[in-house]
Amino acid sequence: MALRETRKYSQGSALGGVNPDLASERQTPSFSVEKLTALLDGGEENTRIRRAVVEAIESDPVFSRENQYFQSQNEKYEAAVRKAVHLQKKVREMGWTENGPEFKYIYRALSGEVALLLHTIFMRSISVLGSDKQIAKWIPLAMQYQLIGSYAQTELGHGTYLQGLETTAVFDIATQEFILNTPQISAMKWWPGDMGRSATHTVVFAQLYVRGKCYGVHPFIVQIRSLWDHSLCPGITAGDIGPKMSFEHIDNGYLMLQNVRVSRENMLSKFCEVRPDGTYVRRGSQQINYLTMTAVRVALISHEAVIPLMKACTIAIRYSVVRRQSKLKPGEEEAKILDFQTQQEKLLPHLAAAYAFHFINNYLQDLFNRGYEEIQRENFNMLPELHAFSSGFKAIVTQYCASAVEVCLRACGGHGYSSLSGLPSLCTRILASCIYEGENTVLFLQTARFLIKCFIAASAGHPVPPSVTYLAAVKPGKCPAKSKFDFLSPDIYTQAYQHAAVRLISSTAAKLQALIQSGVKKHDAWNECTVQLVQAVKAHCHYITVKNFAETVERLETKGGIQQIMKHLCHLFALHGIFSNTGVFLHDGHISGAQMDMVTASYLDLLAVIRKDAVPLVDAFDFTDKTLNSALGSYDGQVYQRLYEWAQKSPTNTQMNPAYEKYLKPLLHKKLSKL
């Protein structure tokens, strides 16, 4: 029943049915694909709602992605704006509301290829950082698209380091206005989405000055284009920053301000306010300005890292059971490339990681929701932990997924390099996620500051957040594993990860303290430890991910085979991490050389186990053919026919060749008489 339902939901095939090599992979799964899909969605009702949203979007021709790979930048931008405008009509028609269950599935259904996404960030900034009065004024206007918002934080010369932003906002007591300026070229806002051609308003982050005193970075609502003719407002210089590696449908822009005046009420003032007499008032934590960015980082882990990895795994694994190459045994037909252990080792650990990161994303969402509830009560105690975790996990998940998607591309050989495979666009898109909303190395180091503070506090017996109480735990002795089967125990490998994280954090903290005590200035000592600090943060995030995966699996129901296959994936993810980072675990002898051989044996055994369920495991991600938009990854596995048919649609095959008349014809005809 489950397979029929999944098949019905898929796009279907007009190319002669399902490829027998792919169909055979779906015959005897060890688990219910439909139940696993429901688990990923958070319940059967959520699956039903998501599928209904996808069906509504994909059945509407305005949202079609056909021939997308052949479009120019302008065509992609225009299509994205058309989709964004039409989406508002669709939302009203379907009765979807922002707080309704359908809303969170729209972005996935559109594969993110829609304009005006920063409009949501604009509204979120106002909702989180604005006063009740500001929310009442601006949110209805934004909801009704009487204006189009953007979010202007990053500058040409500054990105993640908010304190270094150079844009200024000087309070003029006489006129009750802020005067915003771009003092030099490095202060120009650069990269904001929808800024280049679309936005009419933006939230500008600028250094606040009152009576000559700087109060740090604050957010201001600024109108940049006329609501009548879309012309730039006085004092505004703005435009598109030009071609990029990906996201060609988004008009990332630049913005310069010259004596641009906005009302005192335009400074978002839920937590900070400048009163009419110039008195500056702060309520709550100075870090509150990081809250919007924290929310964005948590959201992008799913949309811009985990889902692209799931798509890449789906494409590469389906292709790997259709593609036959070389012979495993003399006299037999060419083998499915997924039957080769090397291909399994390329792809299956990344499939396990997709599940691990899905569950860690749920963990982060819960952490953020709890933290936001506390902040609403003006309790800011969780803010440092929220900021640290969103930074560290944004960095490690996007970094891992970017590498994994590239592996999926290369695992598909030459066909993976074709844009029609869908993999190059996933590859370039996910690479951007390592940079925007905080460059990953910078984010790792922000998390490191939190971990070092917590380690020092825990060592002194002071309370620390629940997520890092392990830093105060008694250090374990040697790993007790006696055979390869012992490494299939979550207690064994989770303890190994905890040991590695504590060792790296404590040793780096000790080095830092020793440098400072020897007379090295704090900032110089910190810089001398940054490589090891990044390593320590990665170990911490890896430990939390493994621990969370194991705890999640333990809570699952045993029926339907779901818990068993998730156990296999959890083991594979954990052992792959040890196998790939042997030095970290062998360093102080917690795991011995002989035990590392046991890890390797169990790890390789798991590849063969998960190989049997590889296709059902990617089918459970439940991507339609239209969502994947891949000639290699379609549900029916008709790879070669689809590649040929899609290639025929290329303008290079349907239009005259201009180079022939200009260059090739004269070249050929010049020698023709001799022939």
Side-chain angles (χ1 to χ4, degrees):
M1 180 64 182
L3 290 178
R4 285 202 299 274
E5 288 174 355
T6 305
R7 185 71 188 91
K8 180 181 177 183
Y9 178 60
S10 297
Q11 183 177 319
S13 174
L15 300 177
V18 178
N19 185 306
D21 281 338
L22 188 51
S24 66
E25 299 285 335
R26 298 183 172 121
Q27 292 303 309
T28 55
S30 71
F31 62 94
S32 164
V33 174
E34 193 72 6
K35 286 187 185 302
L36 182 51
T37 298
L39 171 67
L40 292 171
D41 284 329
E44 293 179 5
E45 179 62 11
N46 287 342
T47 298
R48 185 194 66 76
I49 293 169
R50 176 180 54 74
R51 287 176 175 172
V53 171
V54 171
E55 175 64 26
I57 294 290
E58 292 188 349
S59 63
D60 191 322
V62 175
F63 298 118
S64 172
R65 300 172 70 206
E66 190 175 358
N67 302 327
Q68 165 189 310
Y69 296 123
F70 307 119
Q71 291 178 330
S72 67
Q73 181 183 355
N74 272 331
E75 288 171 335
K76 287 179 179 178
Y77 166 73
E78 184 180 345
V81 173
R82 182 173 67 249
K83 290 176 184 178
V85 173
H86 185 67
L87 181 60
Q88 305 316 309
K89 178 183 175 184
K90 191 76 176 180
V91 166
R92 290 192 298 272
E93 281 179 1
M94 300 301 296
W96 298 336
T97 61
E98 186 178 3
N99 297 320
E102 300 88 0
F103 218 76
K104 64 182 178 180
Y105 299 121
I106 294 173
Y107 186 83
R108 168 172 165 154
L110 293 167
S111 295
E113 288 160 3
V114 61
L116 312 187
L117 293 177
L118 269 289
H119 187 70
T120 304
I121 308 300
F122 173 81
M123 288 195 292
R124 186 180 295 165
S125 300
I126 295 170
S127 298
V128 172
L129 303 175
S131 65
D132 291 344
K133 185 177 178 182
Q134 289 169 328
I135 291 170
K137 175 182 177 180
W138 293 101
I139 294 300
L141 295 173
M143 290 288 291
Q144 296 165 27
Y145 281 84
Q146 291 179 262
L147 56 85
I148 297 170
S150 184
Y151 181 83
Q153 178 176 295
T154 302
E155 296 177 352
L156 198 53
H158 284 89
T160 310
Y161 184 59
L162 281 186
Q163 296 172 46
L165 296 182
E166 298 175 282
T167 303
T168 60
V170 178
F171 184 55
D172 184 344
I173 295 178
T175 62
Q176 294 291 292
E177 293 173 316
F178 294 103
I179 307 168
L180 283 89
N181 273 285
T182 303
Q184 53 197 22
I185 191 167
S186 58
M188 187 191 314
K189 297 298 181 183
W190 193 272
W191 281 110
D194 302 319
M195 176 78 75
R197 294 191 267 183
S198 304
T200 63
H201 290 68
T202 189
V203 173
V204 173
F205 282 78
Q207 299 284 359
L208 169 65
Y209 286 85
V210 181
R211 296 194 182 98
K213 180 179 177 180
C214 181
Y215 287 90
V217 174
H218 289 69
F220 303 84
I221 298 175
V222 179
Q223 182 171 351
I224 61 172
R225 288 186 177 90
S226 165
L227 293 173
W228 298 106
D229 61 7
H230 215 58
S231 61
L232 293 173
C233 294
I236 298 291
T237 302
D240 190 284
I241 65 170
K244 306 176 291 285
M245 196 172 180
S246 188
F247 289 92
E248 291 177 303
H249 62 287
I250 299 295
D251 56 319
N252 295 89
Y254 60 81
L255 171 69
M256 287 193 290
L257 306 124
Q258 185 174 5
N259 294 324
V260 174
R261 289 177 172 266
V262 300
S263 166
R264 184 179 67 87
E265 286 76 21
N266 280 36
M267 186 180 104
L268 296 179
S269 56
K270 182 170 186 175
F271 301 103
C272 312
E273 180 185 7
V274 176
R275 290 177 176 163
D277 64 356
T279 303
Y280 177 78
V281 180
R282 182 185 297 282
R283 295 179 287 275
S285 169
Q286 190 170 2
Q287 287 183 295
I288 197 65
N289 284 338
Y290 287 94
L291 191 61
T292 300
M293 198 158 51
T294 297
V296 172
R297 284 172 186 159
V298 172
L300 78 81
I301 288 173
S302 173
H303 293 308
E304 303 298 346
V306 180
I307 287 178
L309 177 58
M310 289 176 169
K311 288 181 177 180
C313 288
T314 302
I315 294 166
I317 287 172
R318 285 178 178 171
Y319 176 69
S320 293
V321 299
V322 170
R323 179 73 171 186
R324 289 180 175 271
Q325 190 85 30
S326 304
K327 298 178 180 180
L328 272 172
K329 298 177 183 177
E332 292 189 351
E333 65 176 327
E334 290 184 281
K336 297 178 178 182
I337 60 174
L338 195 59
D339 287 334
F340 291 94
Q341 190 185 58
T342 49
Q343 189 77 351
Q344 294 168 18
E345 211 267 331
K346 286 178 187 175
L347 298 177
L348 301 185
H350 301 320
L351 173 61
Y355 279 91
F357 293 147
H358 170 81
F359 293 128
I360 201 64
N361 185 62
N362 290 348
Y363 169 90
L364 291 171
Q365 288 285 358
D366 290 343
L367 184 70
F368 180 82
N369 291 340
R370 282 188 281 116
Y372 187 64
E373 286 176 9
E374 291 300 315
I375 288 167
Q376 292 293 87
R377 301 187 190 104
E378 300 199 358
N379 176 4
F380 300 91
N381 292 341
M382 284 186 69
L383 197 52
E385 183 183 22
L386 280 178
H387 178 246
F389 269 56
S390 69
S391 298
F393 279 102
K394 181 271 183 185
I396 198 162
V397 174
T398 57
Q399 186 176 81
Y400 184 102
C401 290
S403 175
V405 170
E406 185 188 341
V407 170
C408 289
L409 184 152
R410 289 190 279 112
C412 292
H415 293 325
Y417 194 71
S418 167
S419 290
L420 304 183
S421 74
L423 290 166
S425 56
L426 287 174
C427 211
T428 53
R429 186 183 180 109
I430 202 169
L431 189 59
S433 69
C434 296
I435 303 165
Y436 62 68
E437 298 305 330
E439 191 277 331
N440 281 357
T441 303
V442 176
L443 295 187
F444 278 132
L445 291 173
Q446 289 182 4
T447 305
R449 290 191 185 278
F450 171 79
L451 290 178
I452 294 297
K453 286 179 182 177
C454 289
F455 176 77
I456 293 170
S459 300
H462 298 146
V464 293
S467 58
V468 288
T469 51
Y470 77 92
L471 293 174
V474 176
K475 291 183 180 179
K478 306 295 183 183
C479 173
K482 297 289 191 295
S483 73
K484 68 177 183 178
F485 301 108
D486 290 337
F487 279 103
L488 300 180
S489 164
D491 288 342
I492 296 287
Y493 57 66
T494 302
Q495 188 63 62
Y497 274 96
Q498 178 181 312
H499 178 82
V502 171
R503 179 182 64 77
L504 287 165
I505 293 167
S506 62
S507 64
T508 309
K511 177 185 174 182
L512 184 63
Q513 191 172 15
L515 284 169
I516 293 169
Q517 288 176 349
S518 71
V520 178
K521 292 181 179 177
K522 282 187 178 181
H523 56 270
D524 288 328
W526 180 264
N527 189 42
E528 288 185 37
C529 294
T530 48
V531 170
Q532 288 154 293
L533 285 165
V534 168
Q535 191 182 30
V537 174
K538 289 179 180 178
H540 163 77
C541 292
H542 211 156
Y543 161 60
I544 296 295
T545 305
V546 169
K547 180 172 178 282
N548 180 70
F549 200 170
E551 290 174 350
T552 301
V553 170
E554 198 59 37
R555 292 192 296 267
L556 296 177
E557 295 181 0
T558 56
K559 61 184 180 183
I562 302 299
Q563 189 185 52
Q564 189 58 44
I565 191 63
M566 287 296 102
K567 279 184 179 179
H568 292 323
L569 287 173
C570 183
H571 298 336
L572 184 66
F573 177 74
L575 297 187
H576 173 72
I578 298 174
F579 177 80
S580 304
N581 299 279
T582 53
V584 171
F585 294 92
L586 289 170
H587 180 87
D588 64 350
H590 177 71
I591 290 181
S592 68
Q595 287 173 325
M596 194 57 74
D597 290 339
M598 298 173 197
V599 169
T600 302
S602 278
Y603 171 59
L604 297 178
D605 288 347
L606 283 165
L607 294 177
V609 171
I610 293 169
R611 158 67 186 92
K612 299 170 188 174
D613 280 317
V615 168
L617 281 167
V618 296
D619 284 351
F621 294 147
D622 212 28
F623 295 117
T624 64
D625 286 355
K626 288 181 180 178
T627 298
L628 285 177
N629 204 18
S630 167
L632 302 190
S634 294
Y635 189 90
D636 63 13
Q638 299 294 353
V639 171
Y640 305 127
Q641 297 94 317
R642 191 169 273 102
L643 270 173
Y644 176 68
E645 287 187 10
W646 285 17
Q648 300 312 298
K649 300 175 183 179
S650 172
T652 56
N653 291 321
T654 59
Q655 300 169 3
M656 291 293 293
N657 180 1
Y660 174 73
E661 290 293 335
K662 289 181 181 179
Y663 309 112
L664 297 178
K665 184 177 178 181
L667 177 68
L668 292 167
H669 284 212
K670 181 180 177 182
K671 306 290 184 181
L672 198 59
S673 57
K674 294 184 180 180
L675 289 174

